Structures are given as C-alpha cells and as structure tokens.
Amino acid sequence: MGTGTEARQVVTGGAVLDTALTLFAQRGYHGTALSQIAEVLGIRTPSLYNHMRSKQELLQTIIRQTLDSVMEDFEAAVDGVQDPVERLRRATRVYALRHATHRREALVVNRDTTSLEEPSLSALRARRRDHERAFRAVISDGVESGAFTVDSPVLASFAILEMCVSIARWFRDPGALSAADVADQYTGFALQVVGVQT
Amino acid sequence: MGTGTEARQVVTGGAVLDTALTLFAQRGYHGTALSQIAEVLGIRTPSLYNHMRSKQELLQTIIRQTLDSVMEDFEAAVDGVQDPVERLRRATRVYALRHATHRREALVVNRDTTSLEEPSLSALRARRRDHERAFRAVISDGVESGAFTVDSPVLASFAILEMCVSIARWFRDPGALSAADVADQYTGFALQVVGVQT
DNA sequence: TTGTGATACGAACGAGCGTTAGCTAGCGTC
DNA sequence: GACGCTAGCTAACGCTCGTTCGTATCACAA
C-alpha cells in the first residue's frame, strides 16, 4: 500500500542540537532527559551518541554559540558609530531583536548557565560579562559626553539589558507586534531610561 | 570532656523550607537533591519527611507564599492612592524592593514555576497574571488620564516588571547601593519609561 | 515511673538517569 | 561483490533519585 520504506537515518547533529534547544528551553537542562530528546527525533536514546559526546556538551554548545552571536551582533551594530545616542540605540535594538527572534537560546542561557560544568562555566560567564561591560561602556561614554543623564551607569545598563532579556519570556511570533516593532519600542524605553527625550 | 550531648532535634519545618529555598535558588528545583537539603540541616534524607510531605510540596509552598506576598505588597502600596504617577511610583517601588530583599524567592519563582505539577501550576500562573494585570491597569489608567505617554501599556508594563525582577540576579546586600537606593532608582526608570519627566 | 508524641535513623524499594559496549543493516565507493 | 562508514538497535552498567517502612531514642506530661 505504498508505506514502503520507513523514514530512516534522517537525524543529524544539527537536529539533535535543535531539539535539545527546544526542550531545554521548555523544561530546563536538568528537567530534560535524553530519552525525551530521542523520542522527539524518533530514535532510541543511545543513538544520540552518534551525534554528540554528552548531554553537557549540548548545553555548552548552545550557550557558547549564543553568547558569541550576541557579541558579534553588538560589535557589528556599534562599529564605526560615534554618537552615543545612536550607539545605544543600535546596541539595544540588536539585543532586543535577538531576544524576540531567538527565544529558546535566550531562555536556556538565562536559566541554565549555572548548570554548566567547569571550565566552561567560568569561560562563558566571562564571555557574558564582556558584553555587559561593553554595553555599559556605551552608557558611561554617553554620560561623560553629556548625552545621557543617569545616576549609575551600572544600574541603567542592567535595567536596559534585563528588560530586553525578558522579551524572550512573553514574545510570541505571530502576535500583535512583530519582533521589529517590539525592538523599536524597547529601544525607545532604553533611551528614556538614560534621559534622552524622544 | 564536655562534648556531651550532640546537637539534636533542632530542625523545624521552617528550617527545611528555608534551606530548600536557598538551594533551589542556587541550583534550581531539578538540580537540587533532597540529600543536599538534608546535609545542610545535618540530618539524613528520610528524616526530612518528618517536616514535609514531598519535594514538590516545598516548591509549591515557596511559590505560593511569594506570589501572595507580592500581591499583598501591591495592594497595600496603591490602596487609597488616586494619582496615577504616585500609584505607579509606589507599585514599582515595592516590587523592586522585594526583588532586592527577597532574592532567593524571586529566583525560584522565575526559574522553577514550570516545574510545578498540576493543579498548582495553573493556579499559581493565574495568581501571577493577577498581579501583572493589576500593574498594567495602573499604566493604562495613567495613559487614559493623560499622565503617561506610551504606545503599548502591555509592553511598558512587561518592561518595568521584568526590569525589577532582574534585580534579584545581580543585587548583593552589603554592596555599593542599599536595597532602598536601588528601588528608588528603578522607580525613576519606570516613570521615565512611561514618559513622566523626573 | 510509665506513657506518649515527635523526631531521628538504617535499610530498602522501584524508577529513572546518563552512558558504554557490542551488534546489525544500509549506503556509496572501489 | 567486498569493503568500510555511518547510524541505528538491544542489553546492560552503575548511580542517584524520591519515597516508604519499621524501629530506636529523646523530651516531657501524667
């Protein structure tokens, strides 16, 4: 009757990573069993080891790739831009946009970074701090040049960054607002926080 | 030689809950074993069951009590206050302050609510939405009265609430700023987000 | 002094976890 | 047509988990 060949051997390393990403985002790293990943992919648990070294490696790969992309986004966004207002606008927009378009990655990074084992934990925490520091410098520069007015650049940068991070928690793609709409509005919030009239 | 009696029978239900709170906040619900809670308390794992019904019950109690307190804080803060600006100021301040002074509770609620089993999951999600709705209404009212200027009260309320939530992630008690300082500054951010000059 | 309730303990359970080992079937290449 | 590579499978491992059971020990009231 034409059913013929079963679907076979379609699983790739990328598919395992993508499924792990989805389930880690839903249930958390420790709340996700490899058997659940295998079930979604339609294979048995041990077969996963043809595509990965360990469960922990999946988490490390997800978080490392995500943090790298965040930093690349940031640098591409502010590269060559001098005006502090425009720098903050662009840095915020790409960060907000990423959290709307890559919700799963954001949820895993923010929830499960503490589940990383050393030495990845230290290395990736440092990578995250690099972005925080660079973002904070945008605000500090603007304060020194008189473009921004804030009591504490540290507090302002945390407030703006975490405001963007939270987009990943409620944003739904076919929703009332597009990712670009949300990013634009959050960019406006960020500028208001640092005292720029809009 | 005076060592005499070992320390015995000092563990109470409250101590179990408090230890669970600390460890859940550090490692997450699924990342915490009952044996770790028992070890901190200096007893064996099965002895925990003299003070609780199950691990899941610990999580439910922590989250339920926290969400109740959040709602009580909110209502006490805005009760009898008419001016939208003052209502938002007070609602934001108590929320920000709570996330600085009750960091562990905030971390568990935001990380491990998805680990709740039904029917608690639905009930407590609804309780959280009650607060979100009430907070959003403060902003909507201010927009209608002309006190605030925002495109979307939904986005603005999410941005402000989650900005406050994130305080729990970086705040340290004996730090450069007191909890009250942080709450005051975040209240300023909130008012700027909704377009109030400060 | 006896009894009662609370709290601790050791032993053990069934289940599930991540992981390894060894084997089999299908594929493209020579 | 034999070969090796890839990716699947079953079986099994050692371990840890949350939980239950029966028992011993203590403080305190009668």
Side-chain angles (χ1 to χ4, degrees):
Chain A
M1 303 296 280
T3 64
T5 53
E6 289 272 335
R8 276 168 213 261
Q9 181 170 327
V10 287
V11 173
T12 67
V16 172
L17 206 61
D18 187 76
T19 305
L21 179 54
T22 298
L23 293 183
F24 288 175
Q26 280 175 9
R27 319 182 184 309
Y29 176 73
H30 281 123
T32 303
L34 290 184
S35 60
Q36 297 174 309
I37 298 176
E39 189 181 9
V40 171
L41 293 166
I43 60 177
R44 308 289 175 175
T45 308
S47 302
L48 289 172
Y49 285 81
N50 289 318
H51 308 287
M52 66 178 207
R53 256 200 283 276
S54 69
K55 186 188 182 188
Q56 173 72 201
E57 185 207 46
L58 290 176
L59 182 64
Q60 292 178 8
T61 302
I62 289 168
I63 295 182
R64 182 168 28 78
Q65 287 181 356
T66 301
L67 294 184
D68 283 354
S69 296
V70 165
M71 203 59 188
E72 288 169 16
D73 275 4
F74 173 86
E75 285 170 352
V78 303
D79 183 55
V81 180
Q82 303 301 331
D83 176 38
V85 172
E86 189 59 23
R87 281 173 69 87
L88 179 59
R89 195 196 309 274
R90 295 189 184 201
T92 304
R93 197 199 309 275
V94 292
Y95 198 62
L97 194 60
R98 161 165 293 276
H99 283 82
T101 57
H102 294 71
R103 293 182 54 237
R104 297 176 303 168
E105 290 86 337
L107 291 171
V108 173
V109 167
N110 281 281
R111 175 177 186 162
D112 293 314
T113 290
T114 58
S115 298
L116 286 170
E117 297 167 3
E118 294 290 2
S120 290
L121 177 59
S122 298
L124 293 177
R125 271 216 241 258
R127 214 172 293 207
R128 172 155 211 187
R129 266 196 295 271
D130 288 342
H131 176 254
E132 287 175 358
R133 237 193 310 264
F135 193 92
R136 191 184 315 144
V138 172
I139 295 182
S140 296
D141 292 348
V143 171
E144 285 177 21
S145 79
F148 302 151
T149 309
V150 292
D151 286 349
S152 162
V154 177
L155 249 65
S157 63
F158 271 131
I160 294 171
L161 286 174
E162 298 287 344
M163 188 172 76
C164 295
V165 166
S166 69
I167 294 172
R169 287 211 202 100
W170 55 263
F171 185 75
R172 295 293 177 272
D173 187 19
L177 289 87
S178 72
D181 290 340
V182 171
D184 283 346
Q185 293 212 36
Y186 269 68
T187 304
F189 293 157
L191 292 175
Q192 285 170 291
V193 164
V194 296
V196 175
Q197 307 298 346
T198 53
Chain B
M1 303 293 281
T3 65
T5 52
E6 290 273 334
R8 277 168 214 258
Q9 180 170 328
V10 286
V11 173
T12 67
V16 172
L17 207 59
D18 188 75
T19 305
L21 180 53
T22 298
L23 294 183
F24 288 174
Q26 279 175 10
R27 318 179 183 313
Y29 176 73
H30 281 123
T32 303
L34 289 184
S35 60
Q36 297 174 310
I37 297 175
E39 189 181 10
V40 170
L41 292 167
I43 61 176
R44 309 289 174 176
T45 308
S47 302
L48 289 172
Y49 285 81
N50 288 317
H51 308 287
M52 65 177 205
R53 255 200 285 276
S54 67
K55 186 188 181 188
Q56 173 72 200
E57 186 207 47
L58 290 176
L59 182 64
Q60 292 178 9
T61 302
I62 289 169
I63 295 182
R64 182 169 26 79
Q65 287 182 356
T66 301
L67 294 183
D68 282 353
S69 296
V70 165
M71 201 61 187
E72 288 168 16
D73 275 4
F74 173 86
E75 284 168 352
V78 302
D79 183 56
V81 180
Q82 304 300 331
D83 176 38
V85 173
E86 190 59 23
R87 281 173 68 87
L88 180 59
R89 195 196 310 275
R90 294 190 185 199
T92 304
R93 198 200 310 274
V94 292
Y95 198 62
L97 194 60
R98 163 167 292 276
H99 284 82
T101 57
H102 293 72
R103 293 184 54 237
R104 297 176 302 168
E105 290 87 337
L107 291 171
V108 173
V109 167
N110 282 281
R111 176 177 186 162
D112 292 315
T113 291
T114 59
S115 297
L116 286 169
E117 296 167 3
E118 296 288 4
S120 289
L121 176 59
S122 299
L124 293 177
R125 271 216 242 258
R127 214 173 291 208
R128 173 155 210 190
R129 265 196 296 270
D130 288 343
H131 176 253
E132 287 175 359
R133 236 193 310 264
F135 193 92
R136 191 184 314 144
V138 172
I139 295 182
S140 296
D141 291 348
V143 171
E144 284 177 21
S145 79
F148 303 152
T149 309
V150 291
D151 285 349
S152 162
V154 176
L155 249 66
S157 63
F158 271 130
I160 293 170
L161 285 175
E162 298 287 344
M163 190 173 75
C164 295
V165 166
S166 69
I167 294 172
R169 288 214 200 96
W170 55 263
F171 186 75
R172 294 292 177 272
D173 188 19
L177 290 87
S178 72
D181 291 340
V182 171
D184 282 345
Q185 293 212 37
Y186 270 67
T187 304
F189 293 156
L191 292 175
Q192 286 171 289
V193 164
V194 297
V196 176
Q197 308 298 345
T198 54

